Amino acid sequence: MKVIAAYLLAVLGGNTNPSLENLKDILESVGAEVDDDRIEFLLAEVKGKDITELIASGREKFASVPSGGGAIAVAAPAGGGGGAAAPAAPEPKKEEKVEEKEESDDDMGFSLFD
């Protein structure tokens, strides 16, 4: 991910075709580990491709991935005689959880503004 971020930073900075050295410089400037193999792999994958097209293609792929949040299946009322419809099931009440803040000993007895 950091290699991709460095590539995007280089492109946003005006370098439309960043090299291995450009990406290494960016990563080293923030103290990140540099893996030449990963950088070379990324550069091989994006060589000759437009960054906006790559991002658009990635968004399309990402949109098709399920993002969790299961839906509740509701059974439709059975058709039939002209009887009254069954009342809808009441929605479960949401419990509000109130978190109590505890004093932290992280400041070791002094404050930045004391």
Side-chain angles (χ1 to χ4, degrees):
M1 189 59 96
K2 62 187 170 190
V3 175
I4 295 170
Y7 180 82
L8 290 173
L9 282 171
V11 171
L12 285 172
N15 186 351
T16 57
N17 193 16
S19 68
L20 176 108
E21 291 302 318
N22 297 137
L23 299 183
K24 283 176 73 170
D25 289 343
I26 293 170
L27 292 170
E28 288 172 350
S29 73
V30 295
E33 285 186 31
V34 176
D35 184 356
D36 289 349
D37 294 334
R38 287 184 187 242
I39 295 173
E40 289 173 355
F41 177 75
L42 173 72
L43 293 175
E45 291 294 313
V46 299
K47 184 176 184 176
K49 298 178 183 174
D50 182 41
I51 191 68
T52 54
E53 291 176 9
L54 289 172
I55 292 172
S57 147
R59 281 188 181 162
E60 289 174 11
K61 290 178 184 177
F62 200 49
S64 67
V65 176
S67 61
I72 299 174
V74 178
E91 292 185 25
K93 293 182 181 179
K94 293 182 182 178
E95 294 182 26
E96 293 185 24
K97 188 174 182 180
V98 178
E99 295 183 25
E100 295 181 19
K101 292 187 177 183
E102 295 181 13
E103 289 189 27
S104 174
D105 290 335
D106 292 340
D107 62 0
M108 293 189 277
F110 59 90
S111 173
L112 179 64
F113 301 106
D114 282 345

